[in-house]
Amino acid sequence: QVQLVESGGGLVQAGGSLRLSCAASGRTVTTYPMGWFRQPPGMEREFVAAISNYGYNTYYADAVKGRFTFSRDNAKNTVYLQMNSLKPDDTAVYYCAARGGGSYFREGSYAYWGQGTQVTVSS
C-alpha cells in the first residue's frame, strides 16, 4: 500500500507561480514512476506530467510544456510540480499518482492516488 498526500495549492494571479508537493508513505515512492494529473471544473481528469523512478526522464502535456517542471527527491519520498506563468486555464484540482505499469500518459496505469489539491488562477 502507498499513501500520497498533495500540498501547495492555493489562489494565485495569472502569471504567478506555485510549487505542489506530494509526500508518500507506506512503500517508498522510489519504486514507482510518478505522475501529475488535474481535473478542471466540470471536466475529466487529464494528464499533466510524468517522471521516471530516479527523475532522469520527464514527460509533459503540451498545455504545460515549458511552464511546469516535475522533479523528485527520493530520499524524502516526495515529488514536486513547479508551476510558472500560470494561466486561468490551469485552474483545477491537481492529483499526484504512482504508476503500477503501462503508459505514463493514461490514468489507468496509476495504482495509487492522492486526495488532490486545489489550484485557482485568477485573471
Side-chain angles (χ1 to χ4, degrees):
Q1 177 68 279
V2 172
Q3 293 82 44
L4 304 173
V5 179
E6 303 96 334
S7 61
L11 307 175
V12 296
Q13 195 80 18
S17 297
L18 285 173
R19 189 181 74 162
L20 305 184
S21 300
C22 177
S25 61
R27 295 186 66 185
T28 178
V29 74
T30 304
T31 304
Y32 298 89
M34 299 289 293
W36 285 97
F37 291 76
R38 68 187 183 185
Q39 187 168 19
M43 298 179 65
E44 301 271 312
R45 192 152 58 185
E46 65 186 22
F47 171 79
V48 176
I51 193 166
S52 58
N53 303 60
Y54 290 93
Y56 295 118
N57 297 311
T58 53
Y59 310 89
Y60 298 94
D62 287 344
V64 307
K65 195 173 297 181
R67 300 188 297 118
F68 290 11
T69 302
F70 201 167
S71 62
R72 67 192 302 161
D73 185 341
N74 287 349
K76 297 181 178 179
N77 291 323
T78 302
V79 301
Y80 306 93
L81 186 68
Q82 179 67 47
M83 306 187 296
N84 298 326
S85 301
L86 283 162
K87 305 174 180 179
D89 285 351
D90 296 319
T91 295
V93 177
Y94 283 72
Y95 299 87
C96 70
R99 190 173 69 90
S103 173
Y104 280 106
F105 312 109
R106 296 182 178 178
E107 182 175 335
S109 300
Y110 293 82
Y112 305 100
W113 293 82
Q115 83 289 349
T117 186
Q118 177 71 49
V119 172
T120 302
V121 184
S122 61
S123 58

